Amino acid sequence: MRVLPYVVLLGAAIAGYIWAVQWVKDRSARRLAAAPPAPPLPPAAVWPDESATMVFGSDQGPGRLRLNLTQLVFTADSGRVLAIERLDIVGVAASRDVPDRQLVQEVLVVTTASDSYYFMVASPRQWERWLTDGG
C-alpha cells in the first residue's frame, strides 16, 4: 500500500507534462495562424522566356533561354540543359565579340567565375537589365 501514493504522484506528473506540451503546441499554432502569409512569387508568365541560340561552347545550338528567381536556364533543342545559378553570375553584358570571331549582331554574355556563355537573343540589352537589376 505504500507504493500506491507514488504511482498516483507519477501518473499526475506524466499527465501534467503531457498537458504542458499540448498547451505550448496550441499556443504556437495559434501564433503561426495569426502571422500574415508570405507574399506569393510572381507567376511564371512574368519571367523572361524566349528562343535563343548558344553561339559558342560545347552546348552550341538553338534552344530556349529562361530566367527565374534563382537560375538562368538554357534548354538546348538537343535536350541538354544548362542551369546557371544567379548567385554564381559575376558579369552580364551585350557584346559582338565571342572567343573565336566577331559577330554582326550583339549577343548576351553571361560570365561566372569559371566560364562565359554567349546567347543570341532578340534583345541582349533587355536580358542584361533583367539579370542585373530585375527589370
Side-chain angles (χ1 to χ4, degrees):
M1 282 312 239
R2 289 182 165 176
V3 177
L4 187 58
Y6 292 115
V7 171
V8 170
L9 191 58
L10 180 63
I14 291 172
Y17 175 77
I18 291 172
W19 177 82
V21 168
Q22 288 298 324
W23 182 77
V24 169
K25 282 174 87 176
D26 288 344
R27 274 193 68 177
S28 63
R30 273 188 252 131
R31 195 174 311 130
L32 287 175
L41 292 175
V46 172
W47 297 106
D49 177 355
E50 72 175 76
S51 56
T53 302
M54 185 178 281
V55 295
F56 183 79
S58 60
D59 294 327
Q60 182 172 326
R64 279 209 87 67
L65 190 62
R66 294 177 178 92
L67 180 64
N68 63 39
L69 190 61
T70 59
Q71 294 178 327
L72 177 66
V73 180
F74 178 72
T75 306
D77 287 348
S78 65
R80 291 187 57 149
V81 177
L82 169 68
I84 305 168
E85 297 293 327
R86 289 184 75 171
L87 291 175
D88 294 340
I89 296 173
V90 295
V92 178
S95 174
R96 288 189 167 90
D97 297 322
V98 294
D100 60 349
R101 63 189 179 274
Q102 190 168 26
L103 302 171
V104 175
Q105 179 181 338
E106 283 190 326
V107 294
L108 174 69
V109 182
V110 178
T111 307
T112 64
S114 59
D115 275 318
S116 291
Y117 304 95
Y118 301 85
F119 301 102
M120 188 172 293
V121 291
S123 177
R125 299 282 178 187
Q126 181 61 45
W127 277 89
E128 185 179 359
R129 281 190 294 278
W130 284 327
L131 284 164
T132 55
D133 62 350

